[in-house]
Amino acid sequence: GDMEEGVTSESSSLAGHQRLGNLVVLYDDNHISIEGNTDVAFSEDVAARYAAYGWHVQDVADSEDVNALRKAFKAAQAETDRPSFIRMRSIIGFPAPHLQNTGKAHGSALGVEEVAATKEVMGLDPKASFSIPDEVVARAREVVDRGRAAHETWETRYQAWRKGNPAGAELLDRLRQKRLPDGWEKHLPTYDADPKGLATRAASGAVLSALADVLPELWGGSADLAGSNNTSMKGALSFEADTADDRGPYGRTLHFGIREHAMGAALNGIALHGGTRPYGGTFLVFSDYMRGAVRLAALMKLPVIYVWTHDSIGLGGDGPTHQPVEHLAALRAIPGLDVVRPADANETVIAWRTTLEQREGPVAMALSRQNVPTIDRTKFAGAEGTAKGAYVLAEASSGMPKVILIATGSEVSLALAARETLEAEGTHTRVVSMPCREWFLAQDQSYQQTVLPPAVKARVSVEAAVSLGWRDFIGDSGETISLEHFGASAPYEIIYEQFGITPERIVAAAHSSLSKVGATHGSTTGN
């Protein structure tokens, strides 16, 4: 069954290309899955496929021949120039007399009667449970003794290494403790106000390059979109089986190819191994292909970082197939995944800083393709509030607002423009930038209510995606500026205008929300 999954093909192809000589896969070709014999859906020559991937392939005909298996593993360990594949065929459920070699043995417990019958076949007491022959216990304990001796040998070598490599030992200790080096954040870039601005994907790339020499544990790459995702650190070598300068496969730029699912799985494996902090990039719309791996990262609380660019209909000409509309809502539905959509370059920097300071749990960066204005932080609040998930970016002129505009990403600048109009007409308006719902909801209630006072019922959410989930923040009287259909192919300025994601529409939505609040108050008074 594993061999039928697409992620297996993707990862095996990548492993063969990278010639990962310390990888051994044991394939039990037992021909059984839940629906019975695999020949109903699977008939390819798997060993030939792995040979085509460039793997070292061996076939063990008799799975009961332990010595043959041992010999195959020894040969696999000796093969260091390519990954190794060992095919064998066991009988599933052996030696159960009635259920061996059946789909039932794969998908469910044997049951009391079949277990008893199996014990009889093995010469054991069918009525005894958890009974282990003394010779089996003695043999198992030999493994403990062997392991203890091997560890003592390793410990001696390890201590000698530490003594001869104090700098390396110090780095290893820091990585094991998941500590960031002192003063690392001083290397992060900052950006001055600029109405033309910078794409948040470009700001993200600048962060990675700035930290290349500061955080040697940070590494990653892209699913064939590095130039678009800005995931390559300047000056970093590629991680490849062959390098032009013969310095070995130790570069920090990973090339996953067009294998999003395998990329997600590989990032999980790197995070589980520990020591380093991996990231992987693709377009936000392609996060669909890696969702299974993302869900597992969230389930296991792995500190994986996803750099997902081209985060909205703002990517323009690539058209609706590449424009994520439902993806932000779908990803926010994964428990334990923090989804961050920064408004400008400085929010992007703080988002990276906050992410790297977290020791567990995956973080998804949703970054713009198009330039977004770099907000004037002398006029509006600083970007530090990004770390709290949401913050008051622009306060109402009266202090207490009549209406609150909540926006994310590239739509924050639209909300600021709408605020100018509303304030000019006497509607006191607060703009809240909410780059990460998850971080905001992790704050104490007093902070949440400071940003979103319960007394202010008139609210508008602004995000170029489906509105699913925004009702939690805007309430029954709130209005959403959203996109409840797929995008279109055109320059992003035209798309935003045609689909009504504009300051003018935000102003109208604010008036509509205020009308709802007024109607509700009037109805209450009348009662």
Side-chain angles (χ1 to χ4, degrees), residues 445-498:
Q445 192 172 28
S446 62
Y447 177 78
Q448 293 182 39
Q449 292 182 350
T450 299
V451 176
L452 300 175
V456 183
K457 303 294 185 183
R459 302 179 183 184
V460 180
S461 66
V462 190
E463 188 171 68
V466 295
S467 62
L468 182 66
W470 278 111
R471 192 61 60 184
D472 295 342
F473 298 96
I474 63 173
D476 293 337
S477 300
E479 293 282 354
T480 60
I481 301 295
S482 61
L483 195 69
E484 304 302 325
H485 53 78
F486 293 114
S489 180
Y492 75 89
E493 299 93 340
I494 295 176
I495 296 178
Y496 270 74
E497 181 181 358
Q498 291 295 314

Side-chain angles (χ1 to χ4, degrees), residues 471 475-479 510-522:
R471 192 61 60 184
D476 293 337
S477 300
E479 293 282 354
H511 287 308
S512 176
S513 184
L514 284 164
S515 297
K516 289 181 182 179
V517 172
T520 302
H521 287 173

Side-chain angles (χ1 to χ4, degrees), residues 156-234:
T156 300
R157 294 173 57 203
Y158 171 61
Q159 292 302 329
W161 173 83
R162 289 187 64 92
K163 185 176 180 180
N165 299 271
E170 183 180 357
L171 174 60
L172 179 60
D173 291 343
R174 180 176 70 76
L175 299 183
R176 281 180 168 176
Q177 296 163 14
K178 298 181 180 180
R179 286 189 295 106
L180 295 167
D182 294 340
W184 73 276
E185 69 281 0
K186 296 177 182 178
H187 297 267
L188 292 169
T190 58
Y191 294 91
D192 295 330
D194 183 354
K196 293 184 179 179
L198 186 71
T200 54
R201 62 169 175 164
S204 172
V207 169
L208 289 173
S209 291
L211 296 178
D213 295 332
V214 184
L215 300 180
E217 65 267 35
L218 184 63
W219 68 315
S222 171
D224 198 52
L225 291 169
S228 294
N229 299 150
N230 293 89
T231 49
S232 297
M233 298 175 177
K234 288 183 179 178

Side-chain angles (χ1 to χ4, degrees), residues 101-316:
N101 212 30
T102 66
K104 288 185 177 180
H106 177 104
S108 59
L110 293 178
V112 175
E113 293 183 0
E114 187 72 358
V115 168
T118 302
K119 288 179 179 179
E120 289 184 354
V121 171
M122 298 175 70
L124 301 174
D125 183 354
K127 297 180 180 179
S129 297
F130 300 102
S131 177
I132 305 174
D134 291 341
E135 60 269 26
V136 174
V137 174
R139 177 61 173 167
R141 286 176 177 165
E142 289 179 12
V143 175
V144 176
D145 296 334
R146 186 169 70 242
R148 183 180 294 113
H151 183 267
E152 289 175 356
T153 300
W154 175 87
E155 183 68 27
T156 300
R157 294 173 57 203
Y158 171 61
Q159 292 302 329
W161 173 83
R162 289 187 64 92
K163 185 176 180 180
N165 299 271
E170 183 180 357
L171 174 60
L172 179 60
D173 291 343
R174 180 176 70 76
L175 299 183
R176 281 180 168 176
Q177 296 163 14
K178 298 181 180 180
R179 286 189 295 106
L180 295 167
D182 294 340
W184 73 276
E185 69 281 0
K186 296 177 182 178
H187 297 267
L188 292 169
T190 58
Y191 294 91
D192 295 330
D194 183 354
K196 293 184 179 179
L198 186 71
T200 54
R201 62 169 175 164
S204 172
V207 169
L208 289 173
S209 291
L211 296 178
D213 295 332
V214 184
L215 300 180
E217 65 267 35
L218 184 63
W219 68 315
S222 171
D224 198 52
L225 291 169
S228 294
N229 299 150
N230 293 89
T231 49
S232 297
M233 298 175 177
K234 288 183 179 178
L237 294 174
S238 294
F239 185 97
E240 278 287 346
D242 294 309
T243 55
D245 54 10
D246 297 323
R247 281 185 277 180
Y250 303 117
R252 294 166 65 183
T253 300
L254 288 162
H255 302 283
F256 292 102
I258 308 170
R259 304 182 182 97
E260 290 88 356
H261 197 169
M263 177 175 70
L267 295 175
N268 288 351
I270 294 169
L272 283 166
H273 179 275
T276 62
R277 194 73 185 269
Y279 63 85
T282 187
F283 290 171
L284 179 58
V285 73
F286 298 148
S287 64
D288 283 344
Y289 299 142
M290 54 193 301
R291 188 178 179 88
V294 173
R295 184 177 186 273
L296 284 175
L299 191 154
M300 294 186 283
K301 301 180 180 180
L302 300 179
V304 174
I305 304 169
Y306 307 110
V307 182
W308 288 329
T309 68
H310 296 56
D311 68 335
S312 73
I313 57 171
L315 64 90

Side-chain angles (χ1 to χ4, degrees), residues 296-347:
L296 284 175
L299 191 154
M300 294 186 283
K301 301 180 180 180
L302 300 179
V304 174
I305 304 169
Y306 307 110
V307 182
W308 288 329
T309 68
H310 296 56
D311 68 335
S312 73
I313 57 171
L315 64 90
D318 281 343
T321 58
H322 282 52
Q323 294 170 5
V325 174
E326 76 278 21
H327 295 76
L328 290 171
L331 291 164
R332 287 167 179 155
I334 299 178
L337 174 66
D338 297 340
V339 181
V340 190
R341 188 171 185 245
D344 72 348
N346 287 309
E347 278 199 8

